[in-house]
Amino acid sequence: MQYNRSISIAILILGLLFSTLISSTASAAPLSGDSSSTSVTDLNTKKKAADDALANYKAAKQADKLTKLQSLGAKLIDHRTASLGVISSNLSKHNLSVENTAIVKAMIQTNVDELNALKIKIAADTTVEGAKADVKS
């Protein structure tokens, strides 16, 4: 829903910019050949400004998505790490041999270490696609 809203806002902005461009070129009557080239230059400048504004808007949306994905990934990893900690602390309540308890605790610690490495990798991601893939893993 948010994505459709963003597209609608972008289309509205572009429509306003183009209507401004059309009205400014319609009201600018060229008096000589030189003025005609000036109004085309003004039109090109305004078009470039509109393109730049749209590019900046898209970049800001991508940065926002990346930040949200990184936050979600960190939250999920923290939850998994906490769950593994609870499991590790509750091992003594089960009737396991010392050797098996040590094996399970080592496996849990390996998982915690891998999750912490993944958390660092997600925080360092610079693209939305990379962050999505890391959060899913």
Side-chain angles (χ1 to χ4, degrees):
M1 189 59 117
Q2 183 67 25
Y3 180 72
N4 291 336
R5 186 180 201 178
S6 299
I7 290 175
S8 298
I9 292 171
I11 291 171
L12 179 65
I13 291 170
L14 286 175
L16 290 172
L17 288 171
F18 285 127
S19 67
T20 303
L21 292 174
I22 290 171
S23 67
S24 67
T25 49
S27 65
L31 298 175
S32 66
D34 208 44
S35 296
S36 173
S37 65
T38 303
S39 68
V40 169
T41 303
D42 289 344
L43 183 62
N44 289 336
T45 303
K46 289 179 181 180
K47 182 185 179 306
K48 182 171 178 3
D51 290 343
D52 290 345
L54 182 60
N56 289 339
Y57 174 77
K58 287 181 179 180
K61 291 305 285 181
Q62 287 294 96
D64 186 44
K65 283 182 184 179
L66 179 61
T67 302
K68 287 180 180 179
L69 274 171
Q70 289 171 332
S71 176
L72 174 66
K75 182 179 176 181
L76 291 172
I77 289 172
D78 289 342
H79 179 71
R80 290 177 193 161
T81 304
S83 296
L84 288 171
V86 169
I87 292 169
S88 180
S89 65
N90 289 334
L91 280 177
S92 62
K93 295 178 182 177
H94 300 284
N95 192 17
L96 292 174
S97 68
V98 175
E99 296 156 350
N100 287 340
T101 303
I103 291 171
V104 172
K105 282 190 176 190
M107 290 171 61
I108 290 173
Q109 187 57 48
T110 300
N111 283 321
V112 168
D113 292 342
E114 289 173 354
L115 286 170
N116 287 332
L118 181 60
K119 187 176 180 180
I120 292 168
K121 184 178 179 192
I122 290 171
D125 278 333
T126 57
T127 64
V128 172
E129 293 78 20
K132 275 183 186 178
D134 289 341
V135 169
K136 286 181 181 180
S137 64

